[in-house]
Amino acid sequence: MKFRKIQEGKINFYVPKGRIYDAPVFFNPEAELTRDISISAIQVFQKQFKNKITICDALAGTGIRGLRYAKEITGIKKVILNDKNPKAVKLIKKNIRENKLSRKCISSKEDANILLRKNVFVVIDLDPFGSPNIFMDSAARSIYHKGFLCVTATDQSALAGTYPESCLRKYGIKSIKTEFYNELGVRILISFIILNLARYDRAFIPLLSFSTKHYYRVFGRVEHAGKIANLLKDFGYVNYCPKCLERKIGNIEKIDSKKHVFENCGLIYLGKILNKKFCKKVLADIRKRDFRLKKDEEKLLKMLIEEAEMPAFYYDLHSLAKKLKTNIPKTEVLIKKLKKRGFKASRTHFCSTAVKTDAGYKKFCKLT
Ligand SMILES: C[S@@+](CC[C@H](N)C(=O)[O-])C[C@H]1O[C@@H](n2cnc3c(N)ncnc32)[C@H](O)[C@@H]1O
Ligand SMILES: [Zn+2]
């Protein structure tokens, strides 16, 4: 394998030469933003945990993620960098040596499911190709009862409604096509995590969730079984009419009239996917660091804080304008108008031309 040496954060490391998808070991430089945000999110968790933590980077690739955790987060006991690909593990070992991190980092060459089944970890990071679905049961068993779980999914086409059957097969929930597809995708992923952990009497409390062009990323704290009932109360249906874009959330709607044809998606988690306090702490942590992408990360976190307490789902003004055949005002103008009428309203990171609001569909359409 031919290498080239690069730097990300405080780590200098080797990656395979050549194109990403043909490389013998996977490395995607575009995931720097999620690695940075993960460092800050785990750091915030570690401070609340008040003890040293052990992190399992279960699908480590070159090891960059786990190495950065070991070097850039304080309060780390050990980081396990695991990959089942022998070439990846060879490279992980080389990168551990290169960064003199042998005291904190342990390489491992197991199937992630086996490694997780044999151990308990305070923090587990699942960063797979595509769906994390096949690792979730093992992660649910392995996670410490007051732990912290970080999950990536890159199979956005399944989660966000392009391939509903694929979503049903992988996550047990059939997705639908909507204009708020990115939030629907993230919520289906969160629902899947909650239900997997609930099976082992653990409550998964989502704290920070976002979507980018290439992946969804979710962070959450594990709490005792007593909290599960509250999470399950927030499960319900999304009923969506593709004819007029009306959506009803909660119980299943069977209305099938000339006016509406509701498509149903559920049961999914409709509660909070962002914890404002936690997001503020993550933003404060990012501000203290010298991440290369700091400006973009601050912008994203500010937006997440703005939308943290808004209701589920959003109206995409472009889609609405097309359907209603009207000219819709600019996002900012509409938000001001909604707020003036006493409604909650905000932008959303999920879509730059969308508005989140607690004004119902009819009132919202009247104001546009
Ligand atoms: C998307 S890459 C990880 C990228 C890495 N986390 C990063 O931030 O650069 C997924 C990795 O999972 C590994 N993998 C796939 N299935 C696995 C399994 N069952 N057990 C352990 N590793 C696995 C692959 O070899 C690959 O290196
Ligand atoms: Zn309709």
Side-chain angles (χ1 to χ4, degrees):
M1 197 184 346
K2 286 192 174 157
F3 306 108
R4 64 194 171 93
K5 200 172 175 187
I6 57 170
Q7 189 197 346
E8 187 184 291
K10 295 196 183 335
I11 297 292
N12 288 297
F13 65 116
Y14 293 99
V15 299
K17 266 190 173 164
R19 294 188 317 177
I20 295 180
Y21 294 99
D22 308 333
V25 181
F26 183 84
F27 172 69
N28 184 3
E30 284 198 23
E32 182 173 346
L33 180 134
T34 167
R35 286 188 282 265
D36 288 352
I37 293 177
S38 302
I39 286 169
S40 291
I42 297 173
Q43 184 69 80
V44 172
F45 165 76
Q46 188 281 326
K47 284 193 176 144
Q48 293 169 346
F49 191 72
K50 294 190 178 110
N51 254 319
K52 287 198 166 185
I53 55 174
T54 298
I55 304 176
C56 177
D57 180 6
L59 308 157
T62 61
I64 178 58
R65 188 175 288 269
L67 288 164
R68 289 195 62 197
Y69 293 168
K71 183 103 180 184
E72 297 177 41
I73 301 173
T74 58
I76 299 285
K77 195 191 285 172
K78 289 274 183 249
V79 181
I80 288 76
L81 293 91
N82 177 70
D83 205 288
K84 73 170 183 188
N85 173 1
K87 287 183 181 157
V89 179
K90 235 176 152 180
L91 189 53
I92 288 170
K93 285 184 174 160
K94 187 176 167 76
N95 284 331
I96 292 176
R97 280 196 306 274
E98 178 67 24
N99 288 279
K100 300 188 173 56
L101 281 167
S102 330
R103 279 211 191 142
K104 273 194 189 158
C105 293
I106 302 170
S107 67
S108 154
K109 192 175 62 190
E110 289 217 68
D111 185 297
N113 282 314
I114 293 170
L115 175 73
L116 291 168
R117 297 246 154 193
K118 288 196 295 197
N119 296 280
V120 172
F121 296 107
V122 173
V123 178
I124 297 174
D125 195 314
L126 294 179
D127 183 45
F129 298 131
S131 172
N133 65 335
I134 58 166
F135 305 109
M136 200 52 71
D137 184 69
S138 308
R141 276 180 70 122
S142 170
I143 191 78
Y144 181 62
H145 69 284
K146 290 179 182 171
F148 189 71
L149 197 53
C150 323
V151 182
T152 310
T154 63
D155 58 334
Q156 287 157 305
S157 52
L159 284 162
T162 311
Y163 301 114
E165 278 75 22
S166 170
C167 190
L168 179 61
R169 172 171 65 77
K170 294 193 219 172
Y171 296 96
I173 297 167
K174 195 169 173 187
S175 195
I176 53 172
K177 273 188 193 158
T178 65
E179 91 259 20
F180 45 86
Y181 54 92
N182 273 330
E183 184 172 344
L184 187 64
V186 168
R187 284 184 179 276
I188 291 176
L189 176 62
I190 291 175
S191 311
F192 180 74
I193 302 173
I194 290 175
L195 293 172
N196 267 275
L197 265 75
R199 219 176 319 119
Y200 294 100
D201 282 340
R202 277 157 200 189
F204 175 77
I205 315 291
L207 296 174
L208 172 54
S209 324
F210 61 90
S211 90
T212 70
K213 201 169 159 200
H214 299 294
Y215 55 85
Y216 297 149
R217 182 79 166 153
V218 173
F219 301 88
R221 195 171 51 223
V222 180
E223 291 194 12
H224 59 84
K227 297 271 175 82
I228 296 174
N230 271 345
L231 285 170
L232 297 185
K233 269 187 212 147
D234 281 331
F235 271 66
Y237 287 88
V238 186
N239 308 279
Y240 179 71
C241 172
K243 274 169 74 182
C244 68
L245 312 189
E246 174 154 16
R247 69 291 307 269
K248 286 180 190 265
I249 286 156
N251 292 329
I252 195 156
E253 294 280 337
K254 287 286 181 203
I255 304 169
D256 201 351
S257 63
K258 272 193 184 145
K259 195 171 169 227
H260 295 302
V261 184
F262 278 118
E263 290 175 0
N264 319 106
C265 173
L267 289 164
I268 67 162
Y269 176 69
L270 299 166
K272 288 210 158 57
I273 60 172
L274 292 159
N275 177 305
K276 198 169 183 173
K277 240 178 162 176
F278 185 84
C279 293
K280 279 186 173 174
K281 286 187 175 155
V282 174
L283 175 60
D285 187 89
I286 289 172
R287 282 186 169 141
K288 283 187 224 150
R289 296 180 184 264
D290 48 9
F291 291 147
R292 195 176 63 85
L293 302 172
K294 190 169 172 168
K295 284 274 161 299
D296 296 338
E297 290 149 6
E298 282 181 355
K299 199 173 149 201
L300 173 62
L301 262 294
K302 275 189 210 157
M303 187 81 101
L304 296 177
I305 291 164
E306 192 182 321
E307 67 183 279
E309 284 170 2
M310 298 302 294
F313 305 120
Y314 48 88
Y315 297 97
D316 173 28
L317 302 186
H318 281 176
S319 313
L320 216 59
K322 241 193 208 165
K323 279 282 169 193
L324 304 180
K325 298 191 173 61
T326 54
N327 285 326
I328 283 181
K330 282 197 172 140
T331 320
E332 289 307 328
V333 177
L334 192 54
I335 288 173
K336 265 192 194 151
K337 221 167 156 184
L338 282 159
K339 282 185 175 168
K340 220 172 149 188
R341 302 280 156 96
F343 295 111
K344 282 185 180 176
S346 82
R347 296 171 300 161
T348 170
H349 83 287
F350 284 117
C351 173
S352 60
T353 55
V355 170
K356 270 184 173 261
T357 178
D358 60 351
Y361 172 81
K362 282 189 189 112
K363 281 182 187 150
F364 182 76
C365 288
K366 256 189 206 160
L367 281 171
T368 58

